Coordinates of all heavy atoms in Angstrom, one line a residue:
M165 N -5.1 6.0 9.5 CA -4.7 4.9 8.6 C -3.2 5.0 8.4 O -2.6 6.1 8.1 CB -5.4 5.0 7.3 CG -5.0 4.0 6.3 SD -6.0 4.0 4.8 CE -6.1 5.6 4.3
S166 N -2.5 3.9 8.6 CA -1.1 3.8 8.5 C -0.7 3.9 7.0 O -1.3 3.3 6.1 CB -0.5 2.5 9.0 OG 0.8 2.3 8.7
A167 N 0.3 4.7 6.7 CA 0.8 4.8 5.3 C 1.7 3.6 4.9 O 2.9 3.8 4.7 CB 1.5 6.1 5.0
H168 N 1.1 2.4 4.9 CA 1.9 1.2 4.7 C 1.1 0.2 3.9 O 0.0 0.0 4.2 CB 2.3 0.6 6.1 CG 3.1 -0.6 6.0 ND1 2.6 -1.9 6.0 CD2 4.4 -0.7 6.0 CE1 3.6 -2.7 5.9 NE2 4.7 -2.1 5.9
C169 N 1.7 -0.3 2.8 CA 1.0 -1.2 1.9 C 1.2 -2.7 2.5 O 2.3 -3.1 2.7 CB 1.5 -1.1 0.5 SG 0.8 -2.3 -0.6
Q170 N 0.1 -3.4 2.6 CA 0.2 -4.8 3.1 C 0.8 -5.7 2.1 O 1.4 -6.7 2.5 CB -1.2 -5.3 3.4 CG -1.8 -4.6 4.6 CD -3.2 -5.2 4.9 OE1 -4.1 -5.0 4.1 NE2 -3.3 -5.9 6.0
L171 N 0.7 -5.4 0.8 CA 1.2 -6.3 -0.3 C 2.7 -6.1 -0.6 O 3.5 -7.0 -0.6 CB 0.3 -6.2 -1.5 CG 0.7 -7.2 -2.7 CD1 0.5 -8.6 -2.2 CD2 -0.2 -6.9 -3.9
T172 N 3.0 -4.8 -0.9 CA 4.3 -4.5 -1.4 C 5.2 -4.0 -0.2 O 6.5 -3.9 -0.4 CB 4.3 -3.4 -2.4 OG1 3.8 -2.2 -1.9 CG2 3.5 -3.9 -3.6
G173 N 4.7 -3.6 0.9 CA 5.5 -3.1 2.0 C 5.9 -1.6 1.8 O 6.7 -1.1 2.5
A174 N 5.3 -0.9 0.8 CA 5.6 0.5 0.5 C 5.3 1.3 1.8 O 4.2 1.1 2.3 CB 4.9 1.0 -0.7
Q175 N 6.2 2.2 2.2 CA 5.9 3.0 3.3 C 6.6 4.4 3.0 O 7.3 4.5 2.0 CB 6.5 2.4 4.6 CG 7.9 2.0 4.5 CD 8.3 1.2 5.7 OE1 7.5 1.1 6.7 NE2 9.4 0.5 5.7
P176 N 6.3 5.4 3.8 CA 6.9 6.7 3.6 C 8.4 6.8 3.5 O 9.1 6.0 4.2 CB 6.4 7.6 4.7 CG 5.2 6.8 5.3 CD 5.5 5.4 5.0
E177 N 8.9 7.6 2.6 CA 10.3 7.9 2.5 C 10.5 9.3 2.8 O 9.6 10.1 2.7 CB 10.8 7.6 1.0 CG 10.7 6.1 0.7 CD 11.2 5.8 -0.7 OE1 11.7 6.8 -1.4 OE2 11.1 4.7 -1.2
F178 N 11.7 9.6 3.2 CA 12.0 11.0 3.7 C 13.1 11.6 2.8 O 14.0 10.9 2.3 CB 12.4 11.0 5.2 CG 11.3 10.5 6.0 CD1 11.2 9.1 6.3 CD2 10.4 11.3 6.6 CE1 10.1 8.6 7.1 CE2 9.3 10.9 7.4 CZ 9.2 9.5 7.6
G179 N 13.0 12.9 2.6 CA 13.9 13.7 1.9 C 13.9 15.1 2.2 O 13.4 15.5 3.3
N180 N 14.3 16.0 1.3 CA 14.3 17.4 1.5 C 13.5 18.1 0.4 O 13.6 17.7 -0.8 CB 15.7 17.9 1.5 CG 16.4 17.5 2.8 OD1 15.9 17.7 3.9 ND2 17.6 16.9 2.6
T181 N 12.9 19.2 0.7 CA 12.4 20.1 -0.3 C 13.5 21.1 -0.5 O 14.0 21.7 0.5 CB 11.1 20.8 0.2 OG1 10.1 19.9 0.4 CG2 10.6 21.9 -0.8
I182 N 13.8 21.4 -1.7 CA 14.9 22.3 -2.0 C 14.3 23.5 -2.7 O 13.7 23.4 -3.8 CB 16.0 21.7 -2.9 CG1 16.5 20.4 -2.2 CG2 17.1 22.7 -3.1 CD1 17.6 19.7 -2.9
S183 N 14.5 24.7 -2.1 CA 13.9 25.9 -2.6 C 14.7 26.5 -3.7 O 15.8 26.0 -4.0 CB 13.7 26.9 -1.5 OG 15.0 27.4 -1.1
H184 N 14.3 27.6 -4.3 CA 15.0 28.2 -5.4 C 16.4 28.7 -4.8 O 17.4 28.7 -5.6 CB 14.2 29.4 -5.9 CG 14.9 30.2 -7.0 ND1 15.1 29.6 -8.2 CD2 15.5 31.4 -7.0 CE1 15.8 30.5 -9.0 NE2 16.0 31.6 -8.3
S185 N 16.4 29.1 -3.6 CA 17.7 29.6 -3.0 C 18.5 28.4 -2.4 O 19.6 28.6 -1.8 CB 17.4 30.6 -1.8 OG 16.8 29.9 -0.8
H186 N 18.1 27.2 -2.7 CA 18.7 26.0 -2.3 C 18.7 25.7 -0.8 O 19.6 25.0 -0.3 CB 20.2 25.9 -2.9 CG 20.5 24.5 -3.3 ND1 19.9 23.9 -4.4 CD2 21.5 23.7 -2.8 CE1 20.4 22.7 -4.5 NE2 21.4 22.5 -3.6
R187 N 17.8 26.3 -0.1 CA 17.6 25.9 1.3 C 16.9 24.6 1.4 O 16.0 24.3 0.5 CB 16.7 27.0 2.0 CG 17.4 28.2 2.4 CD 16.5 29.2 3.1 NE 16.3 28.7 4.4 CZ 16.8 29.2 5.5 NH1 17.6 30.3 5.5 NH2 16.5 28.7 6.7
R188 N 17.2 23.8 2.3 CA 16.6 22.5 2.4 C 15.8 22.4 3.7 O 16.2 22.7 4.8 CB 17.7 21.4 2.5 CG 18.5 21.4 1.2 CD 19.8 20.6 1.3 NE 20.5 20.8 0.1 CZ 21.1 19.8 -0.5 NH1 21.1 18.6 0.0 NH2 21.8 20.0 -1.7
T189 N 14.6 21.9 3.5 CA 13.7 21.6 4.6 C 13.1 20.2 4.5 O 12.9 19.7 3.4 CB 12.5 22.6 4.6 OG1 11.8 22.6 3.4 CG2 12.9 24.0 4.9
P190 N 13.0 19.5 5.6 CA 12.6 18.1 5.6 C 11.2 17.9 5.0 O 10.3 18.8 5.2 CB 12.6 17.7 7.0 CG 13.3 18.7 7.8 CD 13.3 20.0 7.0
R191 N 11.0 16.9 4.3 CA 9.6 16.5 3.8 C 9.5 15.0 3.8 O 10.4 14.3 4.0 CB 9.4 17.1 2.4 CG 10.3 16.5 1.3 CD 9.7 16.8 0.0 NE 8.5 16.0 -0.2 CZ 7.8 16.0 -1.3 NH1 8.2 16.7 -2.3 NH2 6.8 15.3 -1.4
R192 N 8.2 14.6 3.5 CA 7.9 13.2 3.5 C 7.2 12.8 2.2 O 6.3 13.5 1.8 CB 7.0 13.0 4.7 CG 6.5 11.6 5.0 CD 5.8 11.5 6.3 NE 4.7 10.6 6.2 CZ 4.3 9.9 7.3 NH1 4.8 10.1 8.4 NH2 3.3 9.0 7.1
F193 N 7.6 11.7 1.6 CA 7.0 11.2 0.4 C 6.1 10.0 0.8 O 6.6 9.0 1.1 CB 8.1 10.7 -0.6 CG 9.0 11.8 -1.1 CD1 10.2 12.1 -0.4 CD2 8.7 12.5 -2.2 CE1 11.0 13.1 -0.9 CE2 9.5 13.5 -2.7 CZ 10.7 13.8 -2.1
D194 N 4.8 10.2 0.8 CA 3.9 9.2 1.1 C 3.5 8.4 -0.1 O 3.2 8.9 -1.1 CB 2.6 9.8 1.8 CG 2.8 10.3 3.2 OD1 3.7 9.7 3.9 OD2 2.2 11.3 3.6
P195 N 3.3 7.0 0.1 CA 2.8 6.2 -1.0 C 1.3 6.5 -1.2 O 0.6 6.9 -0.2 CB 3.1 4.8 -0.6 CG 3.2 4.9 0.9 CD 3.7 6.2 1.2
N196 N 0.7 6.2 -2.3 CA -0.7 6.4 -2.6 C -1.5 5.2 -2.0 O -1.7 4.2 -2.7 CB -0.9 6.6 -4.1 CG -2.3 6.9 -4.4 OD1 -3.2 7.1 -3.5 ND2 -2.6 7.0 -5.7
I197 N -1.8 5.3 -0.7 CA -2.5 4.2 0.0 C -4.0 4.3 -0.1 O -4.5 5.4 0.1 CB -2.0 4.2 1.5 CG1 -0.5 4.0 1.6 CG2 -2.8 3.2 2.3 CD1 0.0 2.7 1.2
Q198 N -4.6 3.2 -0.4 CA -6.1 3.1 -0.5 C -6.5 1.9 0.3 O -5.8 0.9 0.3 CB -6.5 2.9 -2.0 CG -5.9 3.8 -3.0 CD -6.4 5.2 -2.8 OE1 -7.5 5.5 -2.5 NE2 -5.5 6.2 -3.1
R199 N -7.7 2.0 0.8 CA -8.3 0.8 1.5 C -9.3 0.2 0.5 O -10.2 0.9 0.0 CB -9.1 1.2 2.8 CG -8.1 1.4 3.9 CD -8.7 1.8 5.2 NE -9.7 0.9 5.7 CZ -9.4 -0.2 6.4 NH1 -8.2 -0.6 6.7 NH2 -10.4 -1.0 6.9
K200 N -9.2 -1.1 0.2 CA -10.0 -1.7 -0.9 C -10.5 -3.0 -0.3 O -9.8 -3.8 0.3 CB -9.1 -1.9 -2.1 CG -9.9 -2.4 -3.3 CD -9.4 -1.6 -4.5 CE -10.0 -2.1 -5.8 NZ -11.4 -1.9 -6.0
R201 N -11.8 -3.3 -0.7 CA -12.4 -4.5 -0.3 C -12.5 -5.5 -1.4 O -12.9 -5.1 -2.5 CB -13.8 -4.2 0.2 CG -14.5 -5.3 1.0 CD -15.8 -4.8 1.6 NE -16.8 -4.9 0.6 CZ -18.1 -5.1 0.8 NH1 -18.5 -5.3 2.0 NH2 -19.0 -5.2 -0.2
Y202 N -12.1 -6.7 -1.2 CA -12.2 -7.8 -2.2 C -12.9 -9.0 -1.7 O -12.9 -9.3 -0.5 CB -10.7 -8.3 -2.6 CG -9.9 -7.3 -3.3 CD1 -8.9 -6.5 -2.6 CD2 -10.0 -7.1 -4.7 CE1 -8.1 -5.6 -3.3 CE2 -9.2 -6.2 -5.4 CZ -8.3 -5.5 -4.7 OH -7.5 -4.5 -5.3
W203 N -13.6 -9.6 -2.7 CA -14.3 -10.9 -2.3 C -13.3 -12.0 -2.4 O -12.6 -12.2 -3.4 CB -15.5 -11.1 -3.3 CG -16.1 -12.5 -3.1 CD1 -16.1 -13.5 -3.9 CD2 -16.9 -12.9 -2.0 NE1 -16.8 -14.6 -3.4 CE2 -17.3 -14.2 -2.3 CE3 -17.4 -12.2 -0.8 CZ2 -18.1 -14.9 -1.4 CZ3 -18.2 -13.0 0.0 CH2 -18.6 -14.3 -0.2
L204 N -13.2 -12.8 -1.4 CA -12.2 -13.9 -1.3 C -13.1 -15.2 -1.4 O -13.6 -15.7 -0.4 CB -11.4 -13.9 0.0 CG -10.2 -14.7 0.1 CD1 -9.2 -14.4 -1.0 CD2 -9.5 -14.6 1.4
P205 N -13.2 -15.8 -2.7 CA -14.0 -16.9 -2.8 C -13.7 -18.2 -2.0 O -14.6 -18.9 -1.6 CB -13.9 -17.3 -4.3 CG -13.2 -16.1 -5.0 CD -12.5 -15.4 -3.9
S206 N -12.4 -18.4 -1.8 CA -12.0 -19.6 -1.1 C -12.4 -19.6 0.4 O -12.7 -20.7 0.9 CB -10.4 -19.8 -1.1 OG -9.8 -18.7 -0.4
E207 N -12.6 -18.4 0.9 CA -13.1 -18.3 2.3 C -14.5 -17.9 2.4 O -15.1 -17.8 3.5 CB -12.1 -17.4 3.1 CG -10.7 -17.9 3.2 CD -9.8 -17.0 4.0 OE1 -10.3 -16.1 4.7 OE2 -8.6 -17.1 3.9
G208 N -15.1 -17.5 1.3 CA -16.5 -17.1 1.3 C -16.7 -15.8 2.0 O -17.8 -15.6 2.7
R209 N -15.8 -14.9 2.0 CA -16.0 -13.6 2.7 C -15.2 -12.5 2.0 O -14.4 -12.7 1.1 CB -15.4 -13.7 4.2 CG -13.9 -13.9 4.2 CD -13.5 -14.1 5.7 NE -12.0 -14.3 5.7 CZ -11.2 -13.4 6.2 NH1 -11.7 -12.2 6.6 NH2 -9.9 -13.6 6.2
Y210 N -15.5 -11.3 2.4 CA -14.8 -10.1 1.9 C -13.5 -9.9 2.8 O -13.6 -10.1 4.0 CB -15.7 -8.9 2.0 CG -16.7 -8.8 0.9 CD1 -18.0 -9.2 1.1 CD2 -16.4 -8.3 -0.4 CE1 -19.0 -9.1 0.1 CE2 -17.3 -8.3 -1.4 CZ -18.6 -8.7 -1.1 OH -19.5 -8.6 -2.1
V211 N -12.5 -9.4 2.2 CA -11.3 -9.0 3.0 C -11.0 -7.5 2.6 O -11.2 -7.1 1.4 CB -10.1 -9.8 2.7 CG1 -10.2 -11.2 3.2 CG2 -9.7 -9.8 1.2
R212 N -10.6 -6.7 3.6 CA -10.3 -5.3 3.4 C -8.8 -5.2 3.5 O -8.2 -5.5 4.5 CB -11.0 -4.4 4.4 CG -10.9 -3.0 4.0 CD -11.7 -2.1 5.0 NE -13.1 -2.4 4.9 CZ -14.0 -1.8 4.1 NH1 -13.5 -1.0 3.2 NH2 -15.3 -2.1 4.1
L213 N -8.2 -4.7 2.4 CA -6.7 -4.6 2.4 C -6.3 -3.1 2.3 O -7.0 -2.3 1.6 CB -6.1 -5.4 1.2 CG -6.3 -6.9 1.2 CD1 -5.8 -7.5 -0.1 CD2 -5.7 -7.5 2.4
T214 N -5.2 -2.7 2.9 CA -4.6 -1.4 2.7 C -3.5 -1.6 1.7 O -2.5 -2.2 2.0 CB -4.1 -0.9 4.1 OG1 -5.1 -1.0 5.0 CG2 -3.6 0.5 4.0
L215 N -3.8 -1.0 0.5 CA -2.9 -1.2 -0.6 C -2.4 0.1 -1.2 O -3.2 1.1 -1.2 CB -3.5 -2.1 -1.7 CG -4.0 -3.4 -1.3 CD1 -4.9 -4.0 -2.4 CD2 -2.9 -4.3 -0.9
S216 N -1.2 0.1 -1.8 CA -0.8 1.2 -2.6 C -1.5 1.1 -4.0 O -2.0 0.0 -4.4 CB 0.7 1.2 -2.8 OG 1.2 0.1 -3.5
A217 N -1.5 2.2 -4.8 CA -2.1 2.1 -6.1 C -1.4 1.1 -7.0 O -2.0 0.4 -7.8 CB -2.0 3.5 -6.7
R218 N -0.1 1.0 -6.8 CA 0.7 0.0 -7.6 C 0.3 -1.4 -7.2 O 0.2 -2.3 -8.1 CB 2.2 0.2 -7.4 CG 3.0 -0.7 -8.3 CD 4.5 -0.5 -8.0 NE 4.8 -0.9 -6.6 CZ 6.0 -0.8 -6.1 NH1 7.0 -0.4 -6.8 NH2 6.2 -1.2 -4.9
A219 N 0.0 -1.7 -5.9 CA -0.4 -3.0 -5.5 C -1.8 -3.4 -6.0 O -2.0 -4.5 -6.2 CB -0.3 -3.0 -3.9
I220 N -2.7 -2.4 -6.1 CA -4.0 -2.6 -6.6 C -3.9 -3.2 -8.1 O -4.6 -4.1 -8.5 CB -4.9 -1.4 -6.6 CG1 -5.2 -1.1 -5.1 CG2 -6.2 -1.6 -7.4 CD1 -5.9 0.3 -4.9
K221 N -3.0 -2.6 -8.8 CA -2.7 -3.1 -10.2 C -2.2 -4.5 -10.2 O -2.5 -5.4 -11.0 CB -1.8 -2.2 -11.0 CG -2.4 -0.8 -11.2 CD -1.4 0.1 -11.9 CE -1.9 1.5 -11.9 NZ -0.9 2.4 -12.5
T222 N -1.3 -4.8 -9.2 CA -0.7 -6.1 -9.0 C -1.8 -7.1 -8.7 O -1.9 -8.2 -9.3 CB 0.3 -6.1 -7.9 OG1 1.3 -5.2 -8.2 CG2 1.0 -7.5 -7.8
V223 N -2.8 -6.8 -7.8 CA -3.9 -7.7 -7.5 C -4.7 -7.9 -8.7 O -5.2 -9.1 -9.0 CB -4.7 -7.1 -6.4 CG1 -6.0 -7.9 -6.2 CG2 -3.9 -7.0 -5.1
D224 N -4.9 -6.9 -9.6 CA -5.7 -7.1 -10.8 C -5.0 -8.1 -11.7 O -5.7 -8.8 -12.4 CB -5.9 -5.8 -11.5 CG -6.8 -4.8 -10.8 OD1 -7.6 -5.3 -9.9 OD2 -6.8 -3.6 -11.1
S225 N -3.7 -8.1 -11.7 CA -3.0 -9.0 -12.7 C -2.8 -10.4 -12.1 O -3.0 -11.4 -12.8 CB -1.7 -8.4 -13.1 OG -0.8 -8.4 -12.0
I226 N -2.5 -10.6 -10.8 CA -2.2 -11.9 -10.3 C -3.4 -12.6 -9.6 O -3.4 -13.8 -9.4 CB -1.0 -11.9 -9.3 CG1 -1.4 -11.1 -8.0 CG2 0.2 -11.4 -9.9 CD1 -0.4 -11.3 -6.9
G227 N -4.4 -11.8 -9.3 CA -5.6 -12.3 -8.7 C -5.6 -12.2 -7.1 O -4.5 -12.1 -6.5
I228 N -6.7 -12.1 -6.5 CA -6.8 -11.9 -5.1 C -6.3 -13.0 -4.3 O -5.7 -12.8 -3.2 CB -8.3 -11.5 -4.7 CG1 -8.3 -11.1 -3.2 CG2 -9.2 -12.6 -5.0 CD1 -7.5 -9.9 -2.8
E229 N -6.5 -14.3 -4.7 CA -6.0 -15.4 -4.0 C -4.5 -15.4 -3.8 O -4.0 -15.6 -2.7 CB -6.5 -16.7 -4.7 CG -7.9 -16.9 -4.8 CD -8.6 -17.3 -3.4 OE1 -7.9 -17.6 -2.5 OE2 -9.8 -17.1 -3.4
A230 N -3.8 -15.1 -4.9 CA -2.3 -15.1 -4.9 C -1.9 -13.9 -4.1 O -0.9 -14.0 -3.4 CB -1.8 -15.0 -6.3
A231 N -2.6 -12.8 -4.2 CA -2.2 -11.6 -3.4 C -2.4 -11.8 -1.9 O -1.5 -11.4 -1.1 CB -3.1 -10.4 -3.8
V232 N -3.4 -12.5 -1.5 CA -3.6 -12.7 -0.1 C -2.6 -13.7 0.4 O -2.1 -13.6 1.5 CB -5.1 -13.3 0.2 CG1 -5.2 -13.9 1.6 CG2 -6.1 -12.2 0.0
A233 N -2.2 -14.7 -0.4 CA -1.1 -15.6 -0.1 C 0.2 -14.8 0.2 O 0.9 -15.1 1.1 CB -0.9 -16.7 -1.2
R234 N 0.5 -13.8 -0.7 CA 1.7 -13.0 -0.5 C 1.6 -12.2 0.8 O 2.6 -12.1 1.5 CB 1.9 -12.1 -1.7 CG 2.4 -12.8 -2.9 CD 2.8 -11.7 -4.0 NE 3.0 -12.3 -5.3 CZ 3.4 -11.6 -6.3 NH1 3.5 -10.3 -6.3 NH2 3.5 -12.3 -7.5
V235 N 0.5 -11.6 1.1 CA 0.3 -10.9 2.3 C 0.6 -11.7 3.5 O 1.3 -11.4 4.4 CB -1.1 -10.2 2.4 CG1 -1.3 -9.6 3.7 CG2 -1.2 -9.1 1.3
R236 N 0.0 -12.9 3.5 CA 0.2 -13.9 4.6 C 1.6 -14.3 4.7 O 2.1 -14.5 5.8 CB -0.8 -15.1 4.5 CG -2.2 -14.7 4.8 CD -3.2 -15.8 4.7 NE -4.5 -15.4 5.2 CZ -5.6 -15.9 4.7 NH1 -5.6 -16.8 3.7 NH2 -6.8 -15.4 5.1
A237 N 2.3 -14.5 3.6 CA 3.7 -14.9 3.6 C 4.6 -13.8 4.2 O 5.6 -14.1 4.8 CB 4.2 -15.2 2.2
R238 N 4.2 -12.6 4.0 CA 4.9 -11.5 4.6 C 4.6 -11.3 6.1 O 5.2 -10.5 6.8 CB 4.5 -10.1 4.0 CG 5.0 -9.9 2.6 CD 4.5 -8.6 2.0 NE 4.7 -7.5 2.9 CZ 5.8 -6.7 3.0 NH1 6.8 -7.0 2.2 NH2 5.8 -5.7 3.8
G239 N 3.7 -12.2 6.6 CA 3.4 -12.1 8.1 C 2.2 -11.2 8.4 O 1.9 -10.9 9.5
G240 N 1.5 -10.8 7.3 CA 0.3 -9.9 7.5 C -0.9 -10.6 7.9 O -1.1 -11.8 7.5
K241 N -1.8 -9.9 8.6 CA -3.1 -10.5 9.0 C -4.1 -10.1 7.9 O -4.2 -8.9 7.6 CB -3.5 -10.0 10.3 CG -4.7 -10.6 10.9 CD -5.0 -10.0 12.2 CE -6.5 -10.3 12.6 NZ -7.0 -9.5 13.7
V242 N -4.9 -11.1 7.5 CA -6.0 -10.8 6.5 C -7.3 -11.2 7.1 O -7.4 -12.3 7.6 CB -5.7 -11.5 5.2 CG1 -6.9 -11.3 4.2 CG2 -4.4 -11.1 4.6

């Protein structure tokens, strides 16, 4: 599963782990990605979206229809 949110576009960021002695080693900050299934009433079917935890809260507030419209506006396939 790709660590990429379909709604917000969140993807991994990169940085360094800094030890007590201040040595730096590369690390990766992954978004909290979940696969979630929603009922889409306008099309009469379920859609499965790959969303970050923050995007799931956004869907709860704006509704699935508006969220799917945003995903499609970004060029995503639903």
Side-chain angles (χ1 to χ4, degrees):
M165 175 170 52
S166 170
H168 182 266
C169 177
Q170 289 180 295
L171 183 62
T172 63
Q175 54 191 348
E177 295 181 4
F178 298 88
N180 291 306
T181 297
I182 303 179
S183 69
H184 180 69
S185 65
H186 217 64
R187 284 182 69 108
R188 294 166 187 225
T189 53
R191 65 161 292 181
R192 180 173 147 150
F193 296 91
D194 286 326
N196 185 3
I197 297 293
Q198 312 290 325
R199 282 180 56 86
K200 190 134 168 71
R201 193 174 83 145
Y202 290 99
W203 173 252
L204 195 59
S206 64
E207 298 182 16
R209 67 183 181 104
Y210 283 98
V211 292
R212 188 176 298 275
L213 298 174
T214 304
L215 301 171
S216 63
R218 185 181 65 177
I220 291 172
K221 294 175 188 177
T222 302
V223 171
D224 290 343
S225 66
I226 68 172
I228 186 61
E229 298 287 344
V232 167
R234 285 190 193 180
V235 169
R236 288 182 173 146
R238 288 176 49 85
K241 182 181 167 199
V242 178

